[in-house]
Amino acid sequence: MLNNFFFCAGPPRSGTTWLYEMMKDHPDLHLPVIKEVGYFMHKYSKRKRVGLTEKFRMDQFIRFVDRTKDCDLKIVIDSMDWWKQYLGGPINDDWYFKLFDGVKSGQWCADFTPSTFYMPDVGWSFIKKIPNVKIIIISRDPLERFWSGFKQKIDHLGYDELLHELTKEEYKYLIEKLEPYKWPPAESDSIEEVSKRILTHITEENFRVYEFEEIMNNPIGMLKNIEDFIGIRNIDYRDNQYFGMAPNPSTNVKIPDWFMDESS
């Protein structure tokens, strides 16, 4: 089992992708080729929709090649050993830890799978066995997060321009049909309840909750805070293409007043 493991998790649309894009090239972190490995949800959660099936993993590989083919073929070639491990099996603890082969002395392995947030108690009891583990959860206002997820689904359907014109009845119909995320969120999925589960197994000094709004309002300060929490060097992120922007932006439409009133 590897030492020095850092986990970042959070509900969808909470900013884990932004933090991943900012920190993935940090010299003191060692990350898998893809952001979301999803191992612990595959192993421990009953919520898993797909799991790490052969088809799912092959789809991940095809998407990776498709994203990088116009950039640099060397990126694909250099990652082939990792993909051989990821596409192989059986899917077990040894399979997961081998995804971090190549970690250098002094580096931290980092897993940015957001859905680890939903992992049941038994999963956290396993993670606590990893020597020197640190965990952060990114929290976001539930209503803002729900709205962001709704807009993202509308964007994917190609109807983003219509958001400015929809009536209250049309909004309600789409929210009911699309169900971007459960509203209101289940109490067991609240930051408070998830934190309680984690702190049953992880000491307070090795666990932090960061607010999405704080990170977006003060990215330099919060990135330094996260680096200091992990125990890695402070670097300059201002040349990162995602600095000052979101990697998965949705249409800029505010939450309607009627929806805020009905959700309060």
Side-chain angles (χ1 to χ4, degrees):
M1 186 178 291
L2 298 170
N3 298 324
N4 297 349
F5 241 92
F6 164 62
F7 291 91
C8 173
R13 308 300 293 171
S14 292
T16 58
T17 298
W18 181 87
L19 189 60
Y20 165 81
E21 292 292 351
M22 294 300 296
M23 300 190 74
K24 68 179 182 181
D25 295 322
H26 194 293
D28 295 338
L29 295 179
H30 180 75
L31 284 73
V33 171
I34 57 177
K35 177 199 171 201
E36 301 182 28
V37 174
Y39 174 63
F40 293 102
M41 284 295 283
H42 168 85
K43 180 177 180 180
Y44 294 111
S45 179
K46 296 179 181 179
R47 297 176 183 228
K48 55 193 177 192
R49 293 176 295 175
V50 179
L52 293 167
T53 62
E54 289 185 5
K55 181 182 184 307
F56 176 82
R57 285 176 284 142
M58 181 57 73
D59 287 344
Q60 292 282 80
F61 175 63
I62 292 170
R63 282 196 291 270
F64 172 79
V65 172
D66 189 58
R67 286 196 307 269
T68 56
K69 66 182 179 182
D70 296 327
C71 302
D72 188 351
L73 183 60
K74 187 175 183 298
I75 296 175
V76 179
I77 295 172
D78 290 347
S79 67
M80 285 310 299
D81 285 342
W82 188 89
W83 282 108
K84 287 178 183 178
Q85 171 62 26
Y86 178 78
L87 294 171
I91 309 299
N92 53 28
D93 295 346
D94 186 56
W95 172 90
Y96 173 73
F97 288 116
K98 282 184 177 179
L99 295 178
F100 296 90
D101 280 356
V103 60
K104 298 175 183 176
S105 176
Q107 283 187 319
W108 283 72
C109 298
D111 186 335
F112 280 80
T113 305
S115 60
T116 305
F117 176 83
Y118 297 105
M119 187 165 60
D121 188 72
V122 64
W124 294 113
S125 68
F126 173 83
I127 283 180
K128 78 173 182 179
K129 299 175 184 176
I130 301 175
N132 204 17
V133 63
K134 296 200 175 184
I135 298 164
I136 74 168
I137 296 296
I138 302 183
S139 170
R140 185 178 186 182
D141 177 86
L143 188 55
E144 291 285 349
R145 187 171 63 81
F146 176 89
W147 186 250
S148 178
F150 170 73
K151 292 190 298 177
Q152 186 185 46
K153 288 214 171 184
I154 292 293
D155 289 351
H156 289 169
L157 291 172
Y159 299 146
D160 47 302
E161 294 298 325
L162 298 179
L163 278 174
H164 298 274
E165 306 172 3
L166 293 178
T167 65
K168 178 178 178 179
E169 290 70 27
E170 290 170 333
Y171 266 119
K172 285 188 170 183
Y173 174 80
L174 286 173
I175 289 171
E176 180 181 348
K177 292 297 180 182
L178 292 177
E179 296 182 351
Y181 307 113
K182 186 176 181 181
W183 185 263
E187 185 176 343
S188 60
D189 294 340
S190 69
I191 295 296
E192 293 77 14
E193 290 302 314
V194 171
S195 296
K196 287 179 184 178
R197 288 203 295 272
I198 295 173
L199 288 171
T200 302
H201 306 284
I202 306 297
T203 62
E204 288 189 14
E205 65 183 15
N206 291 324
F207 174 63
R208 294 286 188 279
V209 176
Y210 291 92
E211 298 290 337
F212 171 85
E213 291 76 14
E214 290 180 329
I215 294 175
M216 293 296 103
N217 290 334
N218 181 21
I220 293 178
M222 296 307 294
L223 284 164
K224 180 182 183 302
N225 189 292
I226 292 170
E227 288 170 328
D228 292 345
F229 166 64
I230 302 171
I232 57 179
R233 287 173 283 179
N234 299 142
I235 65 171
D236 190 347
Y237 294 93
R238 287 174 292 183
D239 289 336
N240 189 299
Q241 64 175 317
Y242 293 109
F243 186 81
M245 64 173 287
N248 289 322
S250 56
T251 302
N252 186 21
V253 177
K254 293 183 178 180
I255 304 174
D257 291 338
W258 64 264
F259 187 72
M260 295 187 68
D261 293 338
E262 292 185 9
S263 302
S264 60

